Amino acid sequence: MNNNPILVNALRFLGLLMLQVLVLNEIELHGFVNPYIYPLFILLLPFETPHWLQLLLAFFLGLMVDIYANTIGVHAAATVAMAYIRPFLMQMFRPSGGYDNKEHPVMFTMGINWTIFYVSSAVLLHHVILFSIESWSIVNIPETLIKIVIGVILSVFIMMLYQFILVPKQ
Amino acid sequence: MRNLLLFLKRYNSFFVFLFLEILCAFLIVKYNHYQRTQFLSSSGVLTAGVLNVKNGVTNYFTLKQQNEILAEQNAALLEQIINSKKDIPKQEMLFITEPEIVTRKKYEFIPAKIIDKSTHKLHNFLTINRGSDDGIYPQMGVVGPRSIAGIVHKVSKNYATVMSVLHKETYISAKIKKNNHFGSLTWDGQNQFIVQLNDVPNNVPVQKGDSIITSGFSDFFPEDILIGKVEAVSRLPGSNFHSIEVELATVFRNLSQVYVIKFNDYQEIID
C-alpha cells in the first residue's frame, strides 16, 4: 500500500465523489432522502492538515457534488461549515492520552466509539445546514427535521461501512 | 499595522471560512433561488458527458419496464388512429388533400432520452440528450409515454435541462375533463406522486377519480393531454376554492423516454 498522503487523499477525493454522484445519488428511499458519503473525505484528512487547506478542499468537494446535483453552493456551504468545526470536534472528543503519534483520524487507530461520536456529530451539522438551505423556508420544519434524522442515520451507517471495508489498516 | 497582521494570521482559518461561506451564499442565491443555472448546470458539456456514460449502463436495468410502457403507448395510439378514421365522414375527407394536412401540422414530437433526473428534492430537474442542435429551445413542453413530464429550462448544444412537474416553481394550466373547468397545477414538494390543482371554485362538482387534462391555454402543451386522476378533494374553511390532490399518471421514478413538443406557431404567437 502506498503511503504517500497526497496520492491517497487525491484518490479518495475522486473515489468518494464518483461513489456519491454515480451510485448514492441514485438511491432515493421513498423519494425522500438519500445518503451522503462524500463528507467522509474531509473527516479522514490527516490531523496535521492546515485548517485553511481543509476549508478549501471542502469547498471544492462540495461544489463538485453541487454541479452534478444542480444545487450550486448548497453542498459547498454545508461541507465548508463541517470542515470549520472539525478541529473543535477533535478538541471536544480528545482522548485522555491526546492524539500522540497518531496520524489519521480513522477507525482503525482511533477505535469505534471515538469514530462514531466524531463522524455523527460532524454529519449532523452537515445535514442540518444542507437540508435547511434546501427547504429555504420555515414552513415545513417537521419534514425537514425528519429528513435530517433519517439522513444522518443513513449517512453515518454508510460512512462506517466504508471505513470497515475500504480504509487500509496501516 | 503589525497587530492587525498578527490578528489576521492568528485567525486565518476563520477568515477563510467566512470568505468561503459568503461565496457559497452568493452562489446559492445566484444559481438556485432564481434558477439561473447558466454555467454550471448539468447541461454543461463536461458533466453531461459523464452522465451520458452512466446512463448507458443504468438504462439496461429498466429495459423491460420501458418496453411495456412504450408498447402500451403504441396500443393507445393505434386505437386512436383507427377510431379517428371512422369518425370522419367520406364526403369531408374528399376536400382535404394530403399536402395540406402536412403543412398544417401544428405540433411535432422530438423523441429524447433522459440521462439524469431527480425526484426527491424540492426543485427537481431532468437532463435530456437533445439540445439546440436538435431544435430545442427553452419553454418547450416535454411529455412522457403516459403523460406530461415538464418544461424545457436551459439548453446547451447537445443537452437540455427540463424543469420537472415536480418543481416548486412549475405552473401548468389544467382543466377537469368532464366539465372543462380550469385551474393551475402546482406541486407542494411533499409527495412525488401527487400534485395540487388550485383555483377551482367551490361550486364546481369534483369527484375522486375525475380525469385532469391540459387546457391548451399555455404554449407548452397541446390541449387534452392526460395529467392524472383526482385523488382527494377537500374544502378549506374560509376559502372559495377546492383543494384538489391529483395523482400523476407519469411515474417519474421509471421515466426514461420522453418527447419534446415543438409548437410550430410559437413564434407567431409570441410576436
Side-chain angles (χ1 to χ4, degrees):
Chain A
M1 189 69 208
N2 198 328
N3 275 334
N4 181 353
I6 295 175
L7 183 69
V8 168
N9 278 299
L11 285 177
R12 187 178 287 149
F13 185 98
L14 281 177
L16 285 178
L17 179 65
M18 286 298 124
L19 191 61
Q20 180 67 51
V21 171
L22 298 180
V23 182
L24 292 184
N25 279 0
E26 293 297 297
I27 301 174
E28 295 162 3
L29 291 152
H30 301 285
F32 194 63
V33 66
N34 69 10
Y36 293 102
I37 194 171
Y38 72 93
L40 190 63
F41 169 75
I42 301 298
L43 297 177
L44 292 185
L45 285 171
F47 283 113
E48 74 273 24
T49 316
H51 200 186
W52 59 268
L53 182 62
Q54 296 180 21
L55 292 169
L56 280 181
L57 285 170
F59 179 74
F60 284 116
L61 180 61
L63 198 63
M64 293 306 283
V65 176
D66 278 330
I67 289 174
Y68 281 99
N70 264 328
T71 55
I72 309 303
V74 180
H75 288 277
T79 319
V80 167
M82 193 194 73
Y84 184 69
I85 62 141
R86 190 178 100 122
F88 303 109
L89 286 179
M90 292 191 157
Q91 205 63 40
M92 211 164 90
F93 296 129
R94 191 182 179 81
S96 52
Y99 294 109
D100 301 338
N101 59 50
K102 283 171 183 153
E103 281 179 16
H104 303 279
V106 296
M107 195 175 64
F108 184 68
T109 52
M110 298 309 302
I112 189 161
N113 282 343
W114 185 88
T115 315
I116 285 182
F117 280 124
Y118 165 67
V119 168
S120 40
S121 43
V123 169
L124 179 66
L125 178 90
H126 174 270
H127 280 39
V128 165
I129 295 178
L130 181 71
F131 288 117
S132 320
I133 299 177
E134 198 189 68
S135 74
W136 202 256
S137 71
I138 50 168
V139 187
N140 29 22
I141 286 178
E143 285 88 351
T144 311
L145 283 178
I146 295 170
K147 272 189 175 189
I148 290 171
V149 171
I150 296 175
V152 167
I153 293 170
L154 275 173
S155 299
V156 170
F157 176 73
I158 284 187
M159 287 179 185
M160 296 307 286
L161 209 63
Y162 176 91
Q163 293 214 41
F164 265 111
I165 299 166
L166 285 170
V167 175
K169 299 170 181 58
Q170 282 138 359
Chain B
M1 190 63 198
R2 194 167 159 272
N3 281 340
L4 180 69
L5 284 177
L6 274 177
F7 175 74
L8 285 177
K9 196 170 176 231
R10 194 180 147 88
Y11 293 102
N12 68 37
S13 63
F14 177 72
F15 288 110
V16 173
F17 166 69
L18 210 61
F19 169 74
L20 290 176
E21 287 293 1
I22 291 171
L23 185 62
C24 286
F26 171 76
L27 288 173
I28 291 169
V29 172
K30 182 160 164 60
Y31 291 109
N32 293 75
H33 194 57
Y34 302 108
Q35 307 302 336
R36 284 189 286 169
T37 45
Q38 296 272 15
F39 299 107
L40 298 170
S41 79
S42 61
S43 51
V45 178
L46 182 82
T47 49
V50 175
L51 294 174
N52 223 352
V53 172
K54 170 182 120 181
N55 197 50
V57 177
T58 51
N59 248 346
Y60 287 100
F61 299 128
T62 54
L63 269 185
K64 192 166 171 248
Q65 227 168 359
Q66 299 304 334
N67 266 340
E68 278 165 16
I69 295 170
L70 290 177
E72 189 185 299
Q73 190 196 13
N74 273 343
L77 289 175
L78 279 175
E79 212 169 275
Q80 269 184 25
I81 292 173
I82 290 165
N83 291 336
S84 66
K85 267 182 190 158
K86 272 184 201 157
D87 287 350
I88 307 172
K90 280 247 162 78
Q91 296 96 313
E92 263 183 51
M93 278 177 89
L94 290 173
F95 294 103
I96 306 167
T97 50
E98 206 59 38
E100 200 181 348
I101 294 174
V102 174
T103 50
R104 282 169 69 218
K105 197 157 72 175
K106 214 171 153 192
Y107 296 100
E108 280 171 50
F109 285 65
I110 305 167
K113 255 196 142 29
I114 294 179
I115 59 168
D116 189 49
K117 65 175 172 227
S118 67
T119 53
H120 65 285
K121 294 181 193 138
L122 292 179
H123 307 278
N124 292 302
F125 288 92
L126 317 167
T127 308
I128 56 173
N129 66 347
R130 301 265 176 214
S132 52
D133 279 5
D134 307 287
I136 311 282
Y137 48 83
Q139 307 283 306
M140 286 169 103
V142 178
V143 293
R146 285 180 180 154
S147 158
I148 58 169
I151 295 160
V152 174
H153 178 236
K154 280 274 182 284
V155 178
S156 70
K157 210 159 162 277
N158 292 310
Y159 301 97
T161 47
V162 177
M163 259 167 91
S164 146
V165 175
L166 306 179
H167 185 295
K168 271 196 129 177
E169 277 143 51
T170 305
Y171 291 87
I172 289 162
S173 176
K175 67 181 179 185
I176 301 162
K177 193 177 180 184
K178 69 173 182 191
N179 52 22
N180 279 342
H181 268 282
F182 297 100
S184 74
L185 203 73
T186 55
W187 186 53
D188 64 357
Q190 293 191 357
N191 183 333
Q192 59 164 312
F193 304 107
I194 304 285
V195 291
Q196 283 70 37
L197 183 65
N198 309 310
D199 306 337
V200 178
N202 265 343
N203 58 350
V204 176
V206 186
Q207 271 158 10
K208 191 179 166 183
D210 287 351
S211 291
I212 305 295
I213 56 179
T214 53
S215 70
F217 278 177
S218 57
D219 310 326
F220 314 134
F221 298 109
E223 209 177 340
D224 294 344
I225 296 183
L226 179 74
I227 295 173
K229 287 206 170 354
V230 173
E231 166 71 23
V233 188
S234 54
R235 191 172 285 207
L236 296 177
S239 164
N240 292 325
F241 298 103
H242 282 302
S243 155
I244 303 174
E245 308 256 289
V246 180
E247 188 180 3
L248 282 172
T250 303
V251 179
F252 278 89
R253 193 176 291 181
N254 50 28
L255 190 64
S256 131
Q257 179 75 47
V258 291
Y259 304 92
V260 184
I261 302 174
K262 189 172 179 192
F263 182 31
N264 286 330
D265 299 340
Y266 181 70
Q267 208 54 40
E268 206 172 302
I269 285 176
I270 58 170
D271 288 346

